Structures are given as structure tokens and as C-alpha cells.
DNA sequence: CACCCTCGAGTTCA
DNA sequence: CTCGAGGGTG
């Protein structure tokens, strides 16, 4: 977004016209943001407008008047609540948008201060600035920032927010003190709120900040009892953290950090994430750390605030007309960005569902480059209102998965066209149809031979929740089911999986696709590049030199039927795959059940069925009623199992796998219906969630250990969860556990938990 | 029958 | 990780 170059002759009039336009636009945006809690454009665009205005202002200072968007403290007084004049003005902070700009600020600071002062780093919470006025230790009013001079009284609502003391702890409180802080909606609570709002037919909030603002501005008058209840609940989910003081002539502390200790001692909520660091370099470390762990905090953060810790130096540095010189806000790159919707393609998954997905101009969002995003189905495409060719708004939902929020209507030029859902399967050409009358999802009915579905099922067989076959993932599954060579793929259905031999793998050639575009990559000769995933080319020995053997040939039976060409050798991946398949034949019955791809039968249902019946034969012989009697299996799953066995090519899978040696039974199982004694152990009757990394265990291993100790390993935290084991890298589950009051055990004590059960908590 | 847990399925990128 | 839907429980 390069600014138009102003000519050296300086066309003042042109600059003024542009500045006027920018001012008007910014006034609109500020008005929407502060008065109506609406964000019309991504933050990045807003910042860009201001940056441009600042540029113009640098060239022509006379363009920037007293009510310019650059000068006024953003925000205006709302008439909703009574006005409150702050005893001391609430400043906003200057912003920088990169570590480099921060270093410039720090360098200036060090020059002004004549030394490198200690800095206090804290997170910039994306919430609402608030000022609490305490008179002789008693809360007398709470006000929003408003325009910085006058805010609105929200005391009645603030009193309902947990953690804000009406009376300060301890004694010796000043006559008057204004405590400044930020009210916010914890991210986890925000999600829950929106779900409830939707159910109640109320507005759904775009982000936690809007939710906090909206919640705080509710009025009790004229509300029904249910509405009041909803209001109460919303307020009770808000939280506050304090980060400063206003009016107080002689604070009993000589530094920002000392101030926080004092405030904490009074029972005010202070952040756990504030640190005093020695210099700018250390501050950069803090900034980068939380840039990477933005979502490991309970609230949304849009940056880091760095303050001079020493109060004496703060006073010395003073403030400009709008912001103190001793503090700076370092803003993180936006998490919502614009990019072009290049096209919408349709993929087919293992169940045959046809899913449209967006192909995007690759763009960086929250740390990674995104080129695709799912659109779920044609209804979602319609509801989001996106057209091919649109500029669209992208964000990362829940940290990872990119999501298209919608089009930027102003940027349409008429060349965009609507997406039309294909009527036939893009992979096999069969007509797509809903599985049931009234279903939105379209499916490819060619379950047996649609290459996409076979590929998906084979991949699922190899997955961790299935037979956990190393070397059978996305790439191998595609190679086995859709190679360019041979013409007849080694697998036309999964029935032949356990009959695969090395010589079936050897000839396979696939076309290499570019990860970004999905298009075939051209090789040296310009034609699509091919790869042989199960074979390596042996380098031809140079003439005149003795053939060197850099690596020994892989172990392989020379008397076997293998018939590869002399210049190639079997890759280790091929040998590994065959060996893994061999091992899979004796794996647990539940894994083999999952591998059959029966609808609704995943690891948990499969475990229940396996444990109860002991063998696939017993499951097959059981009626729907017998199946549904199993704990965790209801009529729907029971029917799905019965019906699965009625399809001839399904039965063929079972028969060919069994013939190849797949065991399909739990050895020494007493037989169907045998009472399975509840496992006794330290964790008997407890459900345990493990999140983050636990040293010495894989994710699976930890679950196994919980089962072995008699516990139940569950994936998500709820009120019923007995205990949550939290290791480094834990995310929302830890937050949720805290919110629900579920006991937490640190990962280091996992082993102890396994041995002693909940006794570990009693310390 | 109305909840609330769970599970299954689909999903993206390094 | 999130969504929708199955299963169990009060």
C-alpha cells in the first residue's frame, strides 16, 4: 500500500483534500467503534489510514488541527449513562507496529533519560479501559474512558464483575485514588456467551472486546426476569486487570512494579504476566515470547505495553498532549487480513462428502501462510456471501484453522462470479446426491470405487486412531490408490491392503503437486515432475571409477519374486510399510474395527464393542438389539454396524483381511457378553483429561496409562471431569478447567497421580 | 423430553 | 479445534 509520492514541489491542496478525506473516514470509523461497538474494517486498515494521515501531517503540519483523529483521544462520550469527569485525565498510548519501531522508541528514550532504564512489560489486553475511584478505600464510582476527560458511569454493572473489591483490603488507603485497568471477556467465556446469545435469539458478538463493551452497557430497567438473568450472567463472566493509577498525589511506591504490588496487596487484580526487564533487548524478548504465545493467555491481547518502571523518571519524561512519553504500546500484526478468493474447488472425503474449499492468494495470518480454507458446503458459501474473485476477510479460528469471514463488498468491481456446486463428483464423475432427503451435504454415492473415498479410507486405516501404521499416511495412501503408473492402482479398494507385496509398491510413480497451488510441479524438462515414493534411483557409477557403495542395499530376500530394474533399489519406506502392515495384523481388535470405516465407529465405540464381544465374528453375529445394549452404543451405531455387514464389498474386505492373517479377535477373551469387570486401580471411577506435553509419555501413552490405572481418558474438559493433567503447551483446556473449578495436576506429578489417584491433590 | 457430555468427522500447515 | 449429532441421564 505504497503512498502516493508527493512531488518535491509539494502540492499542498492535494494533500489537504486527501487529509480531509482521511479525517472524515476516521471519524466515521471511530464513531462506529466507540459509539456502536462495531468494527467496520480490519484494524490493519484503520492503522493504515492513520499512518497515511501521519505522513501527510509530517509533510504539512498545518493540516493537523486540534480535532484531528491523530490528536484527539479516540472515543467520545456516550449519553447512555451519566457522565463522570475523571479526576485525572486518562491517556491513551502511542503505538508502534514492529520490533524495529520499538527499538527506535527505546533509543530515543535512552537518549532523553541519559541511561537505559529498567522497563516494565505487560500485555495489552484487548478490552475496555476503565477507571475505578476509591475514596478512603471504598469504591465510589467506575467509569469508562470516554474521551479521556469525561467517561460514563458504569458503577452498577461493574459491581457485578467478580474480583473487583468494593472495599480495599488492608488499611492506610489514600483519601482518593483512581485505579486504571482493563475490563475484558475471557476468550473461553466469550465462546460460551455467543452460544447462549444465539440460543436466546440475542445478538452474537464479533469479538470479546465488543462483548465486554456490550455487557457493560446493559441497562437493567425494563428488562424481564429472564433478560435480567442473562445480563447477570454476562457480567459475571467479565474480568478486570489493573495496570495503573490516576489521581493520587503521592503514591506510596516509587515504581510501576512497586505500585502493582501495592495494588495487589489491596486485593485488586493484577496481571501475572507483567515483568520488569533490564533493557530494550530483554523487552524485545518479552514481546516476541507473547507474540508466539498470544493464545496461551486467558484474554485477547493486541500487543505489549512497555513502561518506564521508575516513577521519578516517568515524571521527568512527562507526556505530550495525548500520551505519556514513558510508555509505548507495541502492536502485534493483525489476525484478520484481506486476501483474494481465487477460486472455489470441491474435495471429496473418505465418507464421500463433497466439500467446497476456497483457494486463496497465499497470505500470512497469525504466523503462517494460508492458501486454503474450507467452506463446508454450498449453503455456507451462500450465507457467507462470497463470490469468486472477491477480496475476503480471513482469520485464524481457534489459533489454527483459517476461516473466511466474508467479502469486502466495497472492493467488488463486477468481475466476480458466483460459485456453483458441481452436480458430479470431481474425482469419479458420479452424480452427487444428498444421503437423505433434506440433507444439505452432497455425497458421492460411489463409495466402493471413488478414488477419493478409497484414498481417504486407506489413510484413515493408517491413522493414529486406527491401525497406526507408520508410512501409511496421506502421501502413501494417494500413491497406492491413484498413481500415474501403473494404470491399475495397487489398491482399488482397501480389501487388498494386506495382500500388498514389495513388487506392487516398486513400480509406483506419482505426480508431484505444489503444496501452495495444488498444481503439478514442472520438472527439469517442463513436464510434470514424477516421483517414485517406494524406490530410489541408484546413481550410475562414473566411468573409470570403481562403483562406490555409499549405503548398503536394504535387507531384502534375493530369492523373492522381486523384479525391479537394476538401476533402482527399494526404498526404506517400502520395506517399512510392508513390515508395519505385517505387525498390524495382530494389533488390538478395536483398531482393526476402526480400520473397517464403519460409520460412527471411532476409537471409543470400537473399544466398547471389542471389549464386549471379543471378536469380529461375535459382533457380526449380534443383532441390533445386542449391539445397542453395549454401554456407549445406541440404536444409531447399532444399525450402522448391522447395515455395514449387509454390503457385499464390505464383507469382502473382512474376508480378504482375515485370509491375509488379520486376527480380528482379542486372544483369551471369555466370549460375547461376558461381564467385563471394572478395572480396579488408583484412578477407578475417575475421568482424566491430559493436555499439553507430559514428559516421558506420548499423547497415546498417557491415555493408555490412565486406562491401565482404572481411569477414563476423555478428550474435553467438562464439569464431570475429575482431574486435568496440565503440561507445557496447554491451551484452552487449562483455562476451561480453571473456569469450571476442575482440579489441576501439573505434568511432573502425572506418574504420582497414576499411583496414588486423587490423593496427590491433598497437599 | 431436555439437557449435557462425548464422540466422530472434517480441517490447515509446518 | 470446532461443529454437529449420538448417547445417557435426570
Amino acid at each position: 500500500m505504497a503512498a502516493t509520492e508527493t512531488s518535491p514541489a509539494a502540492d499542498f491542496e492535494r494533500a489537504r483534500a486527501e487529509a480531509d478525506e482521511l479525517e472524515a473516514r476516521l471519524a466515521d470509523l471511530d464513531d462506529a467503534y466507540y459509539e456502536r461497538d462495531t468494527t467496520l474494517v480490519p484494524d490493519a486498515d484503520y492503522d493504515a489510514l492513520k499512518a497515511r494521515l501521519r505522513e501527510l501531517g509530517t509533510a504539512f503540519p498545518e493540516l493537523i488541527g486540534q480535532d484531528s483523529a491523530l490528536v484527539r483521544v479516540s472515543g467520545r462520550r456516550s449519553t447512555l449513562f451519566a457522565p463522570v469527569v475523571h479526576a485525572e485525565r486518562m491517556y491513551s498510548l502511542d503505538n508502534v507496529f514492529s520490533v524495529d519501531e520499538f527499538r527506535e522508541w527505546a533509543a530515543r528514550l535512552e537518549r532523553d533519560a541519559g541511561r537505559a532504564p529498567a522497563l516494565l512489560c505487560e500485555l495489552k489486553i484487548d478490552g475496555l479501559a476503565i477507571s475505578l475511584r476509591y475514596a478512603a478505600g471504598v469504591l465510589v464510582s467506575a467509569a469508562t474512558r470516554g474521551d479521556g476527560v469525561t467517561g460514563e458511569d458504569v458503577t452498577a454493572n461493574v459491581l457485578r464483575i467478580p474480583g473487583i473489591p468494593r472495599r480495599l483490603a488492608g488499611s492506610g488507603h489514600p483519601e482518593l485514588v483512581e485505579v486504571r485497568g482493563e475490563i475484558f471477556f475471557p476468550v473461553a467465556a466469550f465462546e460460551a456467551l455467543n452460544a447462549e446469545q444465539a440460543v436466546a435469539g440475542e445478538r452474537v458478538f464479533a469479538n470479546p472486546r465488543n462483548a465486554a463493551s456490550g455487557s457493560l452497557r446493559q441497562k437493567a430497567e425494563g428488562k424481564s426476569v429472564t433478560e435480567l438473568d442473562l445480563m447477570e450472567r454476562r457480567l459475571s463472566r467479565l474480568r478486570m486487570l489493573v495496570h495503573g493509577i490516576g489521581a493520587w498525589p503521592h503514591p506510596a511506591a516509587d515504581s510501576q512494579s512497586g505500585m502493582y504490588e501495592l495494588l495487589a496487596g489491596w486485593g485488586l487484580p493484577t496481571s501475572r504476566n507483567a515483568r520488569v526487564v533490564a533493557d530494550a533487548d530483554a523487552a524485545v524478548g518479552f514481546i516476541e515470547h507473547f507474540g508466539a504465545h498470544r493464545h496461551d493467555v486467558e484474554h485477547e491481547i493486541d500487543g505489549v505495553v512497555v513502561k518506564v518502571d521508575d516513577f521519578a523518571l516517568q515524571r521527568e519524561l512527562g507526556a505530550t498532549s495525548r500520551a505519556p512519553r514513558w510508555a509505548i504500546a507495541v502492536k502485534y500484526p493483525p489476525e484478520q487480513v484481506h486476501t483474494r478468493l481465487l477460486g472455489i474447488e470441491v474435495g471429496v472425503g473418505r465418507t464421500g462428502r463433497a466439500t467446497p474449499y476456497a483457494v486463496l492468494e497465499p497470505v500470512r495470518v497469525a504466523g503462517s501462510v494460508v492458501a486454503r480454507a474450507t467452506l463446508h458446503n454450498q449453503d455456507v458459501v451462500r450465507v457467507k456471501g462470497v463470490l469468486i474473485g472477491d477480496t475476503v476477510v480471513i482469520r485464524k479460528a481457534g489459533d489454527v484453522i483459517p476461516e473466511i469471514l466474508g467479502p469486502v463488498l466495497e472492493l467488488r468491481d463486477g468481475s466476480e462470479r458466483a460459485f456453483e456446486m458441481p452436480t458430479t463428483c470431481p474425482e469419479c464423475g458420479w452424480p452427487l446426491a444428498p444421503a437423505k432427503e433434506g440433507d444439505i451435504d452432497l455425497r458421492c454415492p460411489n463409495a466402493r470405487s471413488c478414488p477419493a473415498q478409497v484414498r481417504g479410507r486407506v489413510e484413515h486405516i493408517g491413522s493414529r486412531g486406527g491401525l497406526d501404521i507408520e508410512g501409511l499416511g496421506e502421501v502413501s495412501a494417494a500413491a497406492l490408490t491413484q498413481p500415474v503408473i501403473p494404470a491399475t492402482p495397487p489398491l482399488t479398494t482397501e480389501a487388498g491392503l494386506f495382500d500388498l507385496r514389495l513388487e506392487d509398491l516398486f513400480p509406483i510413480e506419482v505426480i508431484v503437486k505444489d503444496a501452495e497451488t495444488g498444481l503439478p510441479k514442472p520438472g527439469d524438462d517442463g513436464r510434470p515432475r514424477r516421483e517414485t515414493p517406494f524406490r530410489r534411483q541408484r546413481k550410475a557409477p562414473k566411468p573409470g571409477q570403481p562403483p562406490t557403495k555409499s549405503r548398503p542395499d536394504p535387507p531384502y530376500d534375493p530369492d523373492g519374486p522381486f523384479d525391479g530394474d537394476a538401476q533402482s533399489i527399494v526404498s526404506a519406506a517400502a520395506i517399512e510399510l510392508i513390515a508395519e502392515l505385517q505387525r498390524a495384523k495382530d494389533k488390538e481388535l478395536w483398531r482393526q474395527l476402526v480400520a473397517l470405516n464403519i460409520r460412527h465407529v471411532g476409537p471409543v465405540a470400537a473399544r466398547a464393542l471389542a471389549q464386549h464381544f471379543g471378536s469380529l465374528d461375535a459382533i457380526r453375529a449380534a443383532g441390533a438389539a445386542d449391539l445397542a445394549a453395549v454401554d456407549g452404543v445406541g440404536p444409531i451405531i447399532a444399525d450402522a454396524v448391522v447395515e455395514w455387514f449387509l454390503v457385499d464389498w464390505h464383507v469382502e474386505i473382512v474376508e480378504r483381511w482375515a485370509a491375509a492373517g488379520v486376527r480380528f479377535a482379542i486372544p483369551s477373551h471369555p466370549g460375547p457378553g461376558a461381564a467385563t469387570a471394572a478395572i480396579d486401580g488408583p484412578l477407578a471411577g475417575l475421568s482424566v483429561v491430559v493436555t499439553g506435553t507430559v514428559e516421558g509419555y506420548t499423547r497415546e501413552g498417557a491415555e493408555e496409562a490412565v486406562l491401565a490405572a482404572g481411569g477414563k481418558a476423555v478428550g474435553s474438559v467438562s464439569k464431570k471431569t475429575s482431574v486435568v493433567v496440565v503440561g507445557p503447551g496447554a491451551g484452552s483446556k487449562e483455562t476451561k478447567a480453571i473456569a469450571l473449578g476442575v482440579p489441576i495436576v501439573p505434568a511432573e506429578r502425572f506418574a504420582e497421580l497414576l499411583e496414588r489417584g486423587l490423593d496427590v491433590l491433598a497437599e
Side-chain angles (χ1 to χ4, degrees):
Chain A
M1 93 174 59
T4 342
E5 200 62 45
T6 38
S7 71
D11 190 339
F12 179 76
E13 277 311 313
R14 209 176 54 196
R16 186 165 67 184
E18 190 184 351
D20 285 350
E21 217 168 278
L22 288 167
E23 292 282 7
R25 182 86 177 121
L26 285 165
D28 276 350
L29 296 175
D30 280 344
D31 191 70
Y33 187 78
Y34 289 101
E35 298 295 331
R36 288 176 273 131
D37 298 327
T38 321
T39 314
L40 298 179
V41 299
D43 288 354
D45 291 7
Y46 179 87
D47 292 335
L49 292 174
K50 274 204 166 169
R52 176 60 187 148
L53 185 58
R54 202 174 300 123
E55 251 179 70
L56 293 172
T58 315
F60 307 103
E62 54 271 57
L63 286 178
I64 307 302
Q66 268 314 296
D67 49 358
S68 162
L70 293 183
V71 174
R72 68 170 182 261
V73 174
S74 290
R76 248 170 282 152
R77 190 163 49 75
S78 160
T79 51
L80 239 175
F81 291 72
V84 174
V85 179
H86 300 301
E88 189 174 310
R89 174 169 179 181
M90 287 180 84
Y91 285 103
S92 55
L93 295 177
D94 278 335
N95 296 307
V96 293
F97 299 95
S98 67
V99 164
D100 287 344
E101 286 179 45
F102 168 72
R103 285 191 191 279
E104 284 171 26
W105 176 85
R108 212 161 40 236
L109 173 77
E110 284 171 23
R111 214 173 40 237
D112 292 349
R115 62 189 165 102
L119 300 168
L120 179 122
C121 304
E122 63 193 10
L123 302 180
K124 187 171 188 304
I125 302 170
D126 194 13
L128 263 100
I130 213 95
S131 180
L132 305 177
R133 187 180 299 178
Y134 285 91
V138 177
L139 179 65
V140 291
S141 80
T144 61
R145 174 162 68 194
D147 61 6
V149 176
T150 310
E152 48 185 62
D153 187 340
V154 287
T155 316
N157 286 342
V158 164
L159 285 172
R160 298 170 192 277
I161 299 174
I164 300 182
R166 289 164 187 242
R167 184 178 288 278
L168 298 177
S171 59
H173 304 113
E175 191 76 7
L176 176 72
V177 59
E178 278 185 354
V179 180
R180 269 75 193 269
E182 201 80 7
I183 287 187
F184 61 93
F185 226 104
V187 178
F190 167 73
E191 315 290 352
L193 169 82
N194 260 356
E196 282 174 28
Q197 293 280 116
V199 169
E202 299 267 325
R203 69 179 281 205
V204 168
F205 293 99
N207 57 52
R209 206 204 70 86
N210 286 357
S213 170
S215 303
L216 211 56
R217 284 156 177 262
Q218 298 174 97
K219 271 186 172 171
E221 291 116 57
K223 282 215 155 92
S224 72
V225 178
T226 30
E227 285 169 338
L228 281 175
D229 183 53
L230 197 65
M231 171 173 165
E232 187 85 8
R233 292 170 59 142
R234 280 169 60 178
L235 288 168
S236 71
R237 284 167 159 159
L238 290 171
R239 294 293 180 274
M240 178 176 188
L241 287 174
V242 305
H243 55 55
I245 46 159
W248 188 6
H250 309 290
D254 55 11
S255 67
Q256 193 78 31
S257 51
M259 188 69 225
Y260 287 176
E261 278 172 39
L262 191 66
L263 294 177
W266 288 350
L268 287 161
T270 51
S271 174
R272 295 180 293 137
N273 296 314
R275 298 278 179 282
V276 177
V277 299
D279 55 25
D281 280 339
V284 167
F286 183 94
I287 292 162
E288 284 172 350
H289 172 83
F290 279 101
H293 295 94
R294 257 176 112 158
H295 301 283
D296 300 352
V297 188
E298 62 164 337
H299 48 73
E300 290 216 322
I301 53 183
D302 55 3
V304 164
V305 176
V306 181
K307 297 171 177 168
V308 168
D309 195 40
D310 182 27
F311 276 168
L313 184 54
Q314 281 190 9
R315 273 192 297 275
E316 200 180 302
L317 291 164
T320 66
S321 64
R322 61 178 191 281
R325 287 200 187 85
W326 45 266
I328 191 81
V330 187
K331 293 255 206 147
Y332 287 131
E335 305 231 299
Q336 282 188 15
V337 298
H338 287 181
T339 192
R340 183 79 80 149
L341 177 59
L342 300 175
I344 297 179
E345 290 177 13
V346 174
V348 176
R350 80 178 159 101
T351 62
R353 199 165 92 176
T355 312
Y357 61 92
V359 179
L360 305 162
E361 180 80 46
V363 64
R364 193 167 190 84
V365 198
S368 62
V369 175
V370 171
R372 285 153 212 275
T374 181
L375 288 161
H376 304 288
N377 59 48
Q378 67 273 32
D379 261 33
V380 172
V381 178
R382 215 189 43 236
V383 169
K384 289 192 189 283
V386 290
L387 303 179
I388 296 165
D390 265 337
T391 298
V392 292
V393 184
I394 307 289
R395 75 159 171 206
K396 287 269 193 88
D399 218 359
V400 210
I401 316 280
E403 182 189 2
I404 292 188
L405 295 176
V408 182
L409 293 174
E410 302 150 33
L411 294 180
R412 281 207 177 141
D413 63 9
S415 69
E416 300 79 11
R417 58 206 164 78
F419 165 71
E420 263 188 64
M421 191 70 183
T423 53
T424 57
C425 173
E427 301 239 15
C428 74
W430 279 41
L432 297 173
K436 294 195 305 271
E437 193 73 18
D439 268 9
I440 294 158
D441 292 344
L442 293 180
R443 284 172 189 278
C444 166
N446 183 16
R448 184 196 350 209
S449 0
C450 173
Q453 294 187 57
V454 178
R455 183 197 340 120
R457 289 199 301 267
V458 170
E459 193 185 332
H460 184 241
I461 291 168
S463 71
R464 267 199 337 204
L467 281 169
D468 195 13
I469 297 170
E470 206 166 315
L472 187 58
E474 196 181 333
V475 175
S476 317
L480 290 168
T481 56
Q482 297 176 288
V484 262
I485 294 176
T488 310
L491 293 181
T492 47
T493 81
E494 62 269 46
L497 182 65
F498 290 96
D499 298 329
L500 285 176
R501 295 158 305 167
L502 272 180
E503 58 265 37
D504 298 319
L505 306 183
F506 190 78
I508 292 177
E509 290 187 18
V510 294
I511 289 179
V512 184
K513 290 199 173 162
D514 185 87
E516 238 169 49
T517 59
L519 295 171
K521 264 190 188 170
D524 301 334
D525 57 356
R527 295 208 319 242
R529 202 164 83 209
R530 292 183 176 189
E531 245 175 35
T532 57
F534 297 111
R535 167 178 38 148
R536 308 193 272 121
Q537 300 295 314
R538 178 187 277 161
K539 285 224 173 88
K542 282 188 183 160
Q545 281 186 356
T548 51
K549 249 189 180 178
S550 58
R551 242 180 277 182
D553 276 342
Y556 182 65
D557 178 11
D559 303 324
F562 176 63
D563 186 28
D565 69 88
Q567 293 306 312
S568 308
I569 53 175
V570 177
S571 76
I575 293 164
E576 174 70 13
L577 177 56
I578 298 292
E580 273 283 316
L581 283 169
Q582 186 61 33
R583 279 194 278 279
K585 294 176 184 172
D586 290 323
K587 286 197 176 171
E588 303 96 309
L589 174 59
W590 69 264
R591 291 188 179 278
Q592 297 168 349
L593 265 174
V594 170
L596 294 177
N597 280 290
I598 302 171
R599 202 132 118 82
H600 305 305
V601 179
V604 175
R607 269 193 179 98
L609 288 168
Q611 198 48 243
H612 188 269
F613 290 99
S615 73
L616 189 67
D617 284 338
I619 292 169
R620 190 178 170 180
D626 304 320
L627 294 164
V630 177
D631 197 25
V633 178
I636 307 253
I637 295 181
D639 285 347
V641 173
V642 170
E643 276 165 31
W644 191 86
F645 280 106
L646 296 178
V647 177
D648 54 359
W649 66 270
H650 290 162
V651 175
E652 189 199 335
I653 297 171
V654 174
E655 284 169 356
R656 286 187 60 185
W657 286 13
V662 176
R663 193 206 285 141
F664 281 134
I666 303 176
S668 80
H669 189 277
T676 42
I679 314 168
D680 212 23
L683 296 181
L686 303 179
S687 52
V688 181
V689 173
V690 181
T691 178
T693 44
V694 181
E695 210 172 317
Y697 292 87
T698 60
R699 157 143 246 102
E700 289 241 297
E703 283 178 16
E704 299 275 325
V706 169
L707 292 181
K712 194 176 170 212
V714 290
S716 58
V717 180
S718 71
K719 275 191 291 190
K720 284 194 180 172
T721 309
S722 320
V723 63
V724 180
V725 178
V726 173
S732 62
K733 285 175 194 170
E734 179 179 18
T735 323
K736 196 166 176 197
I738 295 166
L740 293 173
V742 174
I744 290 177
V745 168
E748 309 87 70
R749 304 187 65 188
F750 181 56
E752 211 181 323
L753 176 75
L754 292 173
E755 272 177 34
R756 300 173 44 209
L758 282 186
D759 291 351
V760 296
L761 293 172
E763 271 152 43

